[in-house]
Amino acid sequence: MMTAKEIIAYMESLQNEEQRRVLMGFFKTGPGEYGEGDEFLGLKVPQTREVVKNVWKEFPLSEVPELLMSKWHEVRLCGLLILVAKFEKLTKRAAAKTPLEWTEAKKQKALEWTGEAIIGRDEILMMYLRYAEQANNWDLVDLSVHKILGHWLLLPTNLGDRDYKIKVLDGLAQSDNLWKQRMSMVCSWKTSQMGDPSWCLRYAEIHLHHPHDLMHKAVGWMLREMGKRVSMDLLRDFLRQHAHEMPRTMLRYAIEKMTEQERQYWLNIPQDFAPAKESKANRFAGVLVPDFVEMILKGDDEAMYYLLHERLKHQLQERFEAYKNNLCDDYEDVIDDFFLYLRECGRYPYEPLKRIKKKESFETWLLNTFRNYLSNRVETEGRGISSQPNCEAHWAIAGVGGICDEEKIRVVSQLIAYAHQVFYSRGRFIFLRSLLTMLNKQRAVPNKEMAEALDMSDLAYRVAVYRMKQNVRHFRNRLLMGETLRLDDEHQQMAEQIDADFIHLYPTLFRFYVECIDTLKTSTAVKHLRQQYLEERGYAVHEPDADSPIRVRIPAFWEKLNHWMTI
């Protein structure tokens, strides 16, 4: 077994003066340069790796600091690579699968080894951080940090939870030492390789305005790797937020693997460009599976939305493909309905998640639940279509037989008046807008833009619409069962007015709709949006044609209303 002194002596014996001069120029060791004062033996990296290969297994960890404190660049690299080799050995053994034929004694020994591996990795990590300043050039950082610090971020540790790991990286990022700052960025190479982009995105933002060219290259490089390994959509989302303010070197490194046309697009974004709102997807990019359950149960709808629309998109689409020929709606509509089904199918949001025994299997449970949901939806839609080919098709889904047109008009009149009475201002607006959309043969304002005008998130708007539909369906069923809903004088008069002149329902509803807008705190935004659509697209948005008012045919409207409340 060689000692640190023997390794240093051996490496000094390999000194190459000509190569030494080349390396000192390449790594900028002159006065005022980033590698000022560093000394080289003139060894190439393969020579150093050969030394490491021959000694690391038997080399004691206690001897490594002597290598790290050496004045020679190649000797310090040797010390760092020994730490890497020891760390990877502990990682590989701990990750090995337990054979089924193992006895309990062997399994217990494996568990003990796993505990020892965690302790060993933590010890190596602490040594690496303690001597971080000795990795005082970009090659020393880049050859070691992602394999030690980066891998440690993804593994169990006795030192602390995810918050502790963030604290460690924040300490490096906020240091005055350029190489520690580079460590906080380049360590994300490993996390991105393993599918976790959150570390890269976090520290890319922190170092976005770093003054040094070496950090510009590191940030751009890590963003490029994140896009390649995880998601180009996440990279593009980051660029939409920051391309206008990124240093040119950083931006060029980040977009290096894109097509020439797309590179030119990002390079030509003006510096005064106003970025779109930041995507919420970045926030959940690195969350582990068990943590998603806790976040969702605490009321974080965005976490579930991210799972369905980003993280599990491909698996969900595969399941959808098997059923799509028997479904009326496309994938995006079905996945939104599935989200609302998960949220609202219990007594409180996401109640079924409480019954999940193993949080690690949450994603599998979610995919299986989606498959069952698709199967049930196909069966339900099939019953509705096959029962009657006329206006009663979707009504048959609710299990109610056909009723005469006069009764339909009475139910609709009472339903509109009661919903208008019991819903809060936003709910009344959404309900009336939905009815007008069903009656209007022209396009309505998209949900996303209407949500923004109402000062709501797109997700909150979808949930509000879903709940409103549930309530309306409940009101309708009560009316059909012969119950009389309690209306005050104002809304009783509204019901009678609708019933008496149902054929002109559109202008009547539109008048209620305009009155409802005036009760909204965001009425100015809503009015502006309607006017904007009218001017830009050259058509009316929920505006009735005064010359030829829309005549409502009760069978067609009844069919639309019941279908709208069923999906």
Side-chain angles (χ1 to χ4, degrees):
M1 181 184 70
M2 296 182 70
T3 64
K5 287 184 173 59
E6 290 172 334
I7 289 177
I8 294 172
Y10 172 72
M11 295 183 73
E12 286 177 340
S13 69
L14 301 175
Q15 186 169 349
N16 184 320
E17 187 61 30
E18 182 179 351
Q19 182 68 16
R20 174 178 175 272
R21 288 195 297 271
V22 172
L23 291 174
M24 291 186 69
F26 182 73
F27 286 103
K28 308 295 183 184
T29 60
E33 295 180 314
Y34 60 73
E36 180 179 1
D38 202 359
E39 296 191 41
F40 287 78
L41 290 168
L43 275 63
K44 295 183 178 180
V45 173
Q47 291 177 284
T48 304
R49 288 192 182 278
E50 188 66 26
V51 175
V52 173
K53 181 180 178 181
N54 293 328
V55 305
W56 74 268
K57 290 182 181 178
E58 304 298 329
F59 194 77
L61 195 62
S62 58
E63 290 274 309
V64 173
E66 188 171 346
L67 299 178
L68 298 178
M69 294 301 295
S70 171
K71 68 175 184 177
W72 301 115
H73 184 102
E74 293 89 342
V75 173
R76 296 197 302 278
L77 176 60
C78 179
L80 292 169
L81 293 180
I82 288 174
L83 291 181
V84 168
K86 289 182 175 293
F87 190 93
E88 289 185 332
K89 179 64 175 179
L90 292 170
T91 301
K92 289 175 182 177
R93 283 196 60 184
K97 293 183 178 180
T98 304
L100 295 175
E101 65 273 12
W102 273 14
T103 63
E104 287 300 320
K106 284 189 175 182
K107 290 180 182 178
Q108 184 61 35
K109 190 173 182 180
L111 289 174
E112 291 174 359
W113 163 251
T114 301
E116 293 173 3
I118 293 174
I119 294 171
R121 291 197 304 262
D122 287 346
E123 186 179 359
I124 292 171
L125 184 278
M126 294 308 294
M127 178 178 289
Y128 185 82
L129 294 175
R130 194 178 307 123
Y131 293 95
E133 292 186 5
Q134 297 305 113
N136 59 348
N137 217 310
W138 58 264
D139 64 318
L140 300 179
V141 172
D142 297 355
L143 289 172
S144 62
V145 68
H146 65 291
K147 294 184 177 180
I148 297 177
L149 179 55
H151 208 163
W152 175 78
L153 294 174
L154 301 167
L155 295 170
T157 173
N158 294 330
L159 298 177
D161 55 11
R162 184 180 174 90
D163 290 338
Y164 174 79
K165 294 177 178 179
I166 291 174
K167 184 179 178 181
V168 169
L169 260 66
D170 282 353
L172 294 172
Q174 295 163 8
S175 168
D176 294 332
N177 185 288
L178 172 65
W179 309 115
K180 287 185 176 181
Q181 293 168 353
R182 188 175 174 95
M183 284 180 178
S184 69
M185 190 68 244
V186 178
C187 71
S188 68
W189 192 4
K190 186 67 173 182
T191 60
S192 293
Q193 286 176 341
M194 301 298 288
D196 182 352
S198 59
W199 301 99
C200 175
L201 294 169
R202 174 184 174 85
Y203 291 96
E205 284 196 334
I206 289 175
H207 295 305
L208 196 64
H209 301 292
H210 197 285
H212 204 288
D213 182 70
L214 282 176
M215 284 303 297
H216 299 171
K217 294 176 180 179
V219 173
W221 171 29
M222 290 301 105
L223 285 171
R224 185 182 73 230
E225 288 298 312
M226 185 275 296
K228 181 173 70 174
R229 304 281 184 172
V230 183
S231 169
M232 288 301 293
D233 289 338
L234 282 178
L235 173 56
R236 291 186 181 99
D237 186 65
F238 185 91
L239 294 175
R240 276 191 286 273
Q241 301 299 315
H242 301 295
H244 67 289
E245 57 181 339
M246 291 170 69
R248 302 303 282 181
T249 300
M250 184 187 299
L251 180 58
R252 288 184 181 278
Y253 269 61
I255 63 177
E256 184 179 352
K257 298 300 181 181
M258 294 180 178
T259 64
E260 179 62 26
Q261 183 179 2
E262 188 171 7
R263 286 201 301 272
Q264 290 304 316
Y265 169 79
W266 294 116
L267 288 170
N268 292 320
I269 289 180
Q271 291 187 346
D272 58 352
F273 172 76
K277 291 185 178 179
E278 181 180 5
S279 169
K280 295 179 181 178
N282 295 358
R283 173 184 160 213
F284 305 105
V287 176
L288 300 176
V289 172
D291 297 335
F292 266 114
V293 181
E294 297 300 327
M295 294 172 68
I296 293 167
L297 288 175
K298 288 177 182 177
D300 199 332
D301 289 332
E302 294 288 352
M304 177 64 84
Y305 211 59
Y306 169 76
L307 271 174
L308 298 179
H309 286 75
E310 296 289 341
R311 186 150 160 173
L312 297 175
K313 182 176 181 179
H314 297 298
Q315 294 98 308
L316 291 166
Q317 281 182 325
E318 285 179 5
R319 284 156 177 78
F320 175 78
E321 289 296 317
Y323 293 88
K324 69 176 183 179
N325 293 332
N326 298 311
L327 292 169
C328 299
D329 299 309
D330 61 18
Y331 172 77
E332 292 298 333
D333 290 335
V334 169
I335 206 69
D336 281 345
D337 290 345
F338 178 59
F339 159 73
L340 294 166
Y341 162 78
L342 290 170
R343 192 185 193 283
E344 302 292 330
C345 67
R347 292 166 297 176
Y348 53 85
Y350 304 111
E351 181 182 6
L353 271 66
K354 282 282 188 182
R355 299 194 289 268
I356 298 176
K357 295 180 180 179
K358 292 184 178 181
K359 294 178 181 177
E360 294 78 7
S361 62
F362 170 55
E363 290 186 352
T364 302
W365 174 88
L366 198 59
L367 294 168
N368 290 336
T369 303
F370 183 61
R371 182 188 59 207
N372 295 335
Y373 171 80
L374 290 173
S375 179
N376 293 336
R377 183 158 175 158
V378 166
E379 184 180 349
T380 300
E381 292 186 5
R383 284 204 311 269
I385 293 171
S386 61
S387 60
Q388 294 187 48
N390 57 21
C391 62
E392 304 299 336
H394 293 286
W395 189 239
I397 296 172
V400 179
I403 55 176
C404 66
D405 286 354
E406 290 76 10
E407 182 64 14
K408 292 173 184 175
I409 292 175
R410 185 195 71 81
V411 170
V412 171
S413 302
Q414 295 283 321
L415 183 67
I416 293 172
Y418 189 69
H420 199 275
Q421 176 180 292
V422 300
F423 286 159
Y424 61 98
S425 56
R426 276 180 178 166
R428 287 197 302 273
F429 173 83
I430 294 171
F431 175 58
L432 289 170
R433 175 180 173 270
S434 300
L435 293 181
L436 288 168
T437 301
M438 283 190 283
L439 291 167
N440 197 341
K441 296 180 180 179
Q442 302 187 33
R443 285 178 54 195
V445 179
N447 286 347
K448 187 173 183 179
E449 298 184 30
M450 187 56 72
E452 187 175 347
L454 289 171
D455 198 23
M456 302 170 71
S457 71
D458 185 34
L459 189 56
Y461 183 84
R462 290 172 185 269
V463 172
V465 171
Y466 185 83
R467 287 179 171 173
M468 180 266 296
K469 287 185 180 183
Q470 282 188 316
N471 287 326
V472 172
R473 185 165 61 247
H474 176 64
F475 302 155
R476 178 203 61 185
N477 292 343
R478 288 170 60 187
L479 286 164
L480 283 164
M481 295 304 165
E483 184 176 343
T484 302
L485 303 180
R486 185 176 299 175
L487 294 171
D488 58 31
D489 292 341
E490 177 188 352
H491 293 94
Q492 181 62 43
Q493 185 178 359
M494 177 190 292
E496 292 171 359
Q497 181 182 353
I498 294 171
D499 189 280
D501 198 15
F502 189 86
I503 198 169
H504 295 115
L505 180 61
Y506 194 105
T508 304
L509 287 184
F510 184 73
R511 186 173 73 252
F512 298 149
Y513 173 77
V514 172
E515 292 171 357
C516 179
I517 289 177
D518 293 331
T519 68
L520 295 170
K521 293 181 181 179
T522 54
S523 59
T524 303
V526 174
K527 289 177 181 177
H528 175 73
L529 185 60
R530 287 174 54 242
Q531 185 62 28
Q532 176 185 335
Y533 263 69
L534 184 63
E535 294 174 355
E536 291 183 359
R537 290 161 177 78
Y539 58 76
V541 181
H542 299 317
E543 303 282 359
D545 188 337
D547 296 329
S548 55
I550 298 173
R551 299 172 64 85
V552 179
R553 292 179 61 253
I554 183 59
F557 180 66
W558 184 256
E559 180 183 3
K560 285 183 180 180
L561 180 67
N562 289 313
H563 177 65
W564 172 74
M565 285 188 288
T566 302
I567 58 176

